[in-house]
Amino acid sequence: MFNKLFQNTCKPRGLGGKMILKMMNSGHARLSDWGLKHLQLKNTDHVLDIGCGGGANISRLLESCPDGFVAGIDYSEESVKCSRKKNMDHIGKNCEIRTGNVSHIPYRDERFDIATAFETVYFWPDLYENFKEVRRILKPEGYFMICCEEGDPVNDKWSEKIEGMTVYSIIQLADILKSAGFAVVQKDEKQNGKWICLVGMKK
Ligand SMILES: C[S@@+](CC[C@H](N)C(=O)[O-])C[C@H]1O[C@@H](n2cnc3c(N)ncnc32)[C@H](O)[C@@H]1O
């Protein structure tokens, strides 16, 4: 039963999806706070959160960028619904949440200062192509932050349970970022390399 429920981390659907989204909003709070410390967010920044899930990270970004703009995309309708509900006071003002796949981000070239990806790259279909797509929507010298709670590919505790999940090491992610046209400006680990955070700057 739990295994079935956890499939929803990949693409939340229905009632199980709703439950997982709520759990992730609270369960990922410490990781997100740690990850966000690696960015120097400005009041006026325009930020895109990719794979926004239940929308808690959009709320955090809105707090840090009150005079900017925060968008979220997710390919799950359930995630989009939950993120919109969580951030409803901002929607139509300084926030927009759309259904969208990282393979084809529904925004024009150089639209954002910063892009974030919390707990989601495990499920992306082609990291090299997807990182190039993230690079496309960033301004020159814009930043792309990746933050994961699982950074040890040898530990298959979750990847064994969740279909379509691949755990990458910090080295693997840094190499792909570099080949996709980013300079890796931050690489950090916590919990003995379990939590990882990388920041790439668009070259
Ligand atoms: C484990 S959840 C993490 C949600 C949120 N970022 C957080 O930290 O709580 C992964 C999310 O990424 C989304 N996702 C996975 N692959 C995606 C893709 N190719 N394009 C857009 N969203 C994707 C899923 O639908 C899900 O909402």
Side-chain angles (χ1 to χ4, degrees):
M1 180 194 159
F2 278 113
N3 276 4
K4 204 168 161 212
L5 187 65
F6 281 116
Q7 299 313 317
N8 280 290
T9 52
C10 172
K11 189 171 189 177
R13 292 181 185 88
L15 189 61
K18 245 187 225 144
M19 284 167 65
I20 283 284
L21 287 163
K22 276 210 169 129
M23 284 164 66
M24 292 195 294
N25 269 353
S26 52
H28 293 162
R30 275 181 55 229
L31 177 82
S32 300
D33 288 339
W34 174 72
L36 285 171
K37 285 191 187 133
H38 297 84
L39 290 172
Q40 273 95 49
L41 289 162
K42 294 199 275 300
N43 279 4
T44 52
D45 275 339
H46 286 214
V47 187
L48 174 65
D49 186 36
I50 305 167
C52 58
N57 294 318
I58 294 177
S59 309
R60 286 188 185 87
L61 291 164
L62 281 163
E63 272 176 34
S64 300
C65 312
D67 306 318
F69 176 78
V70 180
I73 63 163
D74 201 296
Y75 71 171
S76 147
E77 295 290 347
E78 205 58 61
S79 295
V80 169
K81 236 195 276 173
C82 183
S83 285
R84 284 188 180 147
K85 196 170 164 201
K86 175 135 186 81
N87 295 286
M88 66 185 170
D89 293 347
H90 292 271
I91 303 275
K93 298 172 192 158
N94 56 344
C95 179
E96 178 175 74
I97 297 160
R98 292 191 191 175
T99 307
N101 196 311
V102 67
S103 310
H104 299 282
I105 299 176
Y107 285 98
R108 65 168 168 80
D109 296 359
E110 303 189 2
R111 171 68 185 80
F112 293 96
D113 301 289
I114 292 171
T116 55
F118 295 91
E119 284 286 89
T120 181
V121 296
Y122 318 115
F123 308 112
W124 291 8
D126 179 339
L127 287 194
Y128 170 67
E129 289 300 330
N130 303 151
F131 289 2
K132 281 204 303 185
E133 178 64 356
V134 175
R135 187 179 178 279
R136 179 186 68 74
I137 56 90
L138 285 175
K139 294 178 188 169
E141 303 196 349
Y143 294 105
F144 174 33
M145 193 214 66
I146 300 167
C147 189
C148 296
E149 207 171 23
E150 299 298 325
D152 178 6
V154 177
N155 179 353
D156 61 1
K157 180 178 162 210
W158 290 107
S159 52
E160 215 191 25
K161 286 193 187 76
I162 301 169
E163 228 171 275
M165 178 175 186
T166 307
V167 175
Y168 301 94
S169 69
I170 199 163
I171 295 169
Q172 287 173 312
L173 291 171
D175 284 347
I176 306 171
L177 275 173
K178 283 182 210 155
S179 59
F182 289 92
V184 177
V185 293
Q186 294 214 48
K187 231 166 55 174
D188 197 8
E189 301 181 345
K190 207 178 151 123
Q191 319 271 26
N192 289 328
K194 243 189 120 230
W195 289 13
I196 58 171
C197 182
L198 298 96
V199 180
M201 189 186 72
K202 177 174 175 173
K203 287 202 283 189

